[in-house]
C-alpha cells in the first residue's frame, strides 16, 4: 500500500506537529532531525525538502504561536467589549502568562535553553524581531496600540520570567497570584504611562 501524497502545506503541518511534540518532550538541543523524521513518519528527503534544519522548524512554530496568540486576543476582545482598556491589557498579559497551550510550552523551552545555547539566543532575537513587527501591525489593526509599548526589554524580561514561573504555581493558587500580578501590572503600566 502506498502512502498518500500530501500537499506541501499539509506535509509541513505534519512535520511541525511532530517537531512540536518532540521539542516539548526532549527540548530543542536534544532533538534531532532524525527524531522528527521518525515521529512525522516521513523520509529524510521529505523532511529536508521542506526544512533545512530544526531551527527553521522551530522558527515556523514560533510564528504559528504568534498567530495563535493573535486569535486568542481577538476572541477575548470580542467577548469582553465592555472592559476598560486597562483591564483588557492586564487580563491579556495574565492570560498569556498562564496559558497552557503547546506554543507557550515551546516558548518556555526556548527561554530555558537559550542561556546555554548561542544558536537559540540568536534564534530568540530573530523570533522576537519578527514577532514585534507582526504584533505592532496587529495592535494597530485592532486598536490597542498601547499594548505595543509592552515589548521593550523590561517588559520582555518580566513576561518571560512570569511565563517560565507560571508552571510552578499550583492550580488552587492561580487566582491569588493573578490578582497580585494584576495590581503590580497596573501600577507599572501607570508609571510607564501605558494606561
Amino acid at each position: 500500500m502506498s502512502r498518500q501524497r500530501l500537499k506541501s502545506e499539509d506535509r509541513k503541518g505534519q512535520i511541525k506537529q511532530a517537531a512540536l511534540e518532540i521539542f516539548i518532550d526532549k527540548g530543542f538541543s536534544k532533538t534531532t532531525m532524525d527524531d522528527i523524521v521518525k515521529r512525522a513518519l516521513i523520509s529524510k528527503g521529505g523532511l529536508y525538502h521542506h526544512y533545512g534544519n530544526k531551527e527553521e522548524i522551530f522558527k515556523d512554530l514560533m510564528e504559528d504561536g504568534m498567530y495563535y496568540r493573535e486569535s486568542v486576543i481577538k476572541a477575548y476582545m470580542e467577548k469582553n467589549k465592555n472592559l476598560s482598556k486597562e483591564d483588557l491589557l492586564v487580563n491579556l498579559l495574565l492570560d498569556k502568562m498562564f496559558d497552557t497551550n503547546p506554543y507557550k510550552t515551546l516558548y518556555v523551552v526556548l527561554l530555558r535553553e537559550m542561556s546555554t545555547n548561542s544558536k537559540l539566543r540568536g534564534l530568540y532575537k530573530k523570533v522576537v524581531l519578527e514577532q514585534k513587527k507582526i504584533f505592532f501591525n496587529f495592535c494597530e489593526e485592532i486598536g490597542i496600540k498601547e499594548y505595543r509599548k509592552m515589548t521593550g526589554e523590561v517588559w520582555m524580561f518580566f513576561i518571560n520570567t512570569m511565563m517560565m514561573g507560571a508552571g510552578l504555581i499550583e492550580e488552587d493558587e492561580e487566582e491569588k497570584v493573578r490578582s497580585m500580578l494584576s495590581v503590580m501590572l497596573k501600577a507599572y503600566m501607570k508609571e510607564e504611562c501605558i494606561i
Side-chain angles (χ1 to χ4, degrees):
M1 186 160 92
S2 64
R3 288 195 320 215
Q4 180 184 5
R5 189 155 179 87
L6 295 177
K7 292 179 185 174
S8 182
E9 282 308 306
D10 293 336
R11 182 68 71 198
K12 283 180 88 170
Q14 178 185 7
I15 292 166
K16 288 189 295 184
Q17 182 58 43
L20 177 63
E21 293 167 7
I22 297 169
F23 288 141
I24 289 171
D25 291 344
K26 292 178 75 171
F28 177 84
S29 299
K30 293 181 182 175
T31 296
T32 66
M33 291 293 271
D34 285 338
D35 293 331
I36 298 167
V37 164
K38 289 176 191 165
R39 180 76 58 101
L41 303 172
I42 62 170
S43 68
K44 241 185 199 181
L47 175 60
Y48 282 101
H49 173 74
H50 295 285
Y51 290 104
N53 55 49
K54 65 183 182 178
E55 288 85 0
E56 290 176 12
I57 303 169
F58 200 91
K59 190 170 178 248
D60 270 6
L61 286 167
M62 290 286 105
E63 188 172 300
D64 290 350
M66 183 69 198
Y67 291 119
Y68 163 81
R69 174 68 25 216
E70 285 183 6
S71 70
V72 168
I73 290 171
K74 284 180 179 177
Y76 185 84
M77 289 180 68
E78 188 63 33
K79 285 182 188 174
N80 297 283
K81 290 180 179 180
N82 57 346
L83 279 182
S84 69
K85 202 159 267 198
E86 175 184 55
D87 286 333
L88 176 73
L89 295 175
V90 168
N91 289 343
L92 287 171
L93 283 168
L94 291 172
D95 288 349
K96 181 177 182 174
M97 290 177 203
F98 288 96
D99 199 339
T100 57
N101 76 80
Y103 296 116
K104 183 212 171 190
T105 305
L106 185 67
Y107 185 70
V108 170
V109 166
L110 172 66
L111 294 173
R112 200 174 43 237
E113 291 189 34
M114 71 182 207
S115 66
T116 58
N117 184 323
S118 61
K119 270 188 180 179
L120 283 181
R121 271 193 302 278
L123 180 61
Y124 172 78
K125 289 177 184 177
K126 287 179 189 174
V127 165
V128 166
L129 282 176
E130 285 186 30
Q131 288 183 345
K132 278 184 183 181
K133 288 177 196 173
I134 294 166
F135 186 66
F136 285 0
N137 290 335
F138 173 72
C139 287
E140 195 72 37
E141 172 193 323
I142 64 170
I144 57 168
K145 58 185 174 189
E146 298 89 345
Y147 203 48
R148 294 185 315 178
K149 293 180 183 178
M150 293 181 258
T151 59
E153 290 297 315
V154 172
W155 276 105
M156 293 299 289
F157 172 79
F158 178 74
I159 299 301
N160 288 342
T161 302
M162 294 300 105
M163 287 174 75
M164 290 177 70
L168 302 173
I169 297 166
E170 297 294 329
E171 197 174 315
D172 61 333
E173 293 290 315
E174 184 177 324
E175 277 310 308
K176 190 188 299 183
V177 173
R178 283 178 71 101
S179 178
M180 177 189 70
L181 288 173
S182 177
V183 171
M184 291 170 58
L185 285 167
K186 287 177 182 178
Y188 188 76
M189 289 165 75
K190 284 179 183 161
E191 173 89 13
E192 293 295 308
C193 300
I194 293 169
I195 53 174

